Amino acid sequence: EDQVTQSPEALRLQEGESSSLNCSYTVSGLRGLFWYRQDPGKGPEFLFTLYSAGEEKEKERLKATLTKKESFLHITAPKPEDSATYLCAVYSSASKIIFGSGTRLSIRP
Amino acid sequence: DTEVTQTPKHLVMGMTNKKSLKCEQHMGHRAMYWYKQKAKKPPELMFVYSYEKLSINESVPSRFSPECPNSSLLNLHLHALQPEDSALYLCASSQGSGGAYNEQFFGPGTRLTVL
């Protein structure tokens, strides 16, 4: 069964304290892995798409990486405005879109 | 224009009411999606329209009825809902419905409360 698991569920960091969020997946053929950011009461905002193992993408303080089993979202020197829920989603060869349960990130000033 | 708009932002309805949610995009995307999201949970896919045809229906109860009048518009008709249907309803669109074009752009959502 296709599955996407994100960890940790919640993460509290001090401003400037770098860390990584994890997205582990088991799917019947990966066609794409997506990272989104969601603020409370709003729709998810697209961040990155990764297609193959070894691929990396960066945007400001965020960097996403992909292996055959998992993806990491690295946050370097985060600021309070980076506080949000980060969602990982996988598009499988069975044409299924599966979201992970998200990581709630909180950055303290 | 890289925006997906949804109306209304908030909706309160009784269990006997009929209402509709609306979604619009002008990015030329050919796939549109409805999701349901409960508090502190990930979005759950409900329906997918690809080239204005319903391509995925994730076993959603018949009290939810989607409609795609044209490639820019997507509606969700609601009838005889239950209190447990209260949630944030999200619309999304993507360039296509598969492969390299499945990056989805989401609207802000409609917060639905069923009394």
Side-chain angles (χ1 to χ4, degrees), chain B residues 41-62:
Chain B
K41 297 289 186 182
E44 297 174 39
L45 184 64
M46 299 174 72
F47 303 104
V48 180
Y49 272 84
S50 180
Y51 292 85
E52 300 161 49
K53 292 185 178 178
L54 183 64
S55 62
I56 295 177
N57 177 340
E58 293 285 5
S59 303
V60 178
S62 59

Side-chain angles (χ1 to χ4, degrees), chain A residues 53-89:
Chain A
E55 192 174 358
E56 299 183 353
K57 289 194 176 172
E58 286 189 69
K59 179 181 178 180
E60 296 180 356
R61 295 178 291 282
L62 300 176
K63 179 180 177 180
T65 62
L66 181 65
T67 72
K68 289 185 177 180
K69 294 182 179 180
E70 58 193 350
S71 176
F72 290 95
L73 185 64
H74 307 278
I75 301 179
T76 303
K79 297 181 178 182
E81 54 262 40
D82 294 322
S83 298
T85 295
Y86 290 85
L87 294 165
C88 165

Side-chain angles (χ1 to χ4, degrees), chain A residues 13-24:
Chain A
L13 300 172
Q14 198 68 35
E15 183 173 2
E17 181 185 359
S18 301
S19 189
S20 297
L21 313 183
N22 177 264
C23 172
S24 298

Side-chain angles (χ1 to χ4, degrees), chain B residues 72-100:
Chain B
S72 300
L73 292 173
L74 185 66
N75 299 321
L76 186 63
H77 303 297
L78 313 173
H79 174 56
L81 294 192
Q82 304 297 310
E84 58 264 29
D85 296 322
S86 298
L88 182 68
Y89 287 83
L90 294 164
C91 172
S93 70
S94 65
Q95 191 168 349
S97 60

Side-chain angles (χ1 to χ4, degrees), chain A residues 31-32 34 36 38 40-46 48-49 51 57 87 91 94-102 104, chain B residues 33 35 37 40-45 48 56 58 88 90 97-109 111:
Chain A
R31 297 180 71 177
F34 310 94
Y36 292 88
Q38 187 173 25
K42 296 187 178 181
E45 175 189 346
F46 171 75
F48 303 110
T49 307
Y51 294 108
K57 289 194 176 172
L87 294 165
Y91 186 63
S95 297
K96 291 287 187 181
I97 302 165
I98 306 160
F99 275 82
S101 54
R104 292 192 305 280
Chain B
Y33 310 76
Y35 287 86
Q37 187 176 28
K40 298 188 178 181
K41 297 289 186 182
E44 297 174 39
L45 184 64
V48 180
I56 295 177
E58 293 285 5
L88 182 68
L90 294 164
S97 60
Y101 304 109
N102 211 37
E103 300 166 359
Q104 294 179 32
F105 294 85
F106 284 81
R111 174 69 62 190

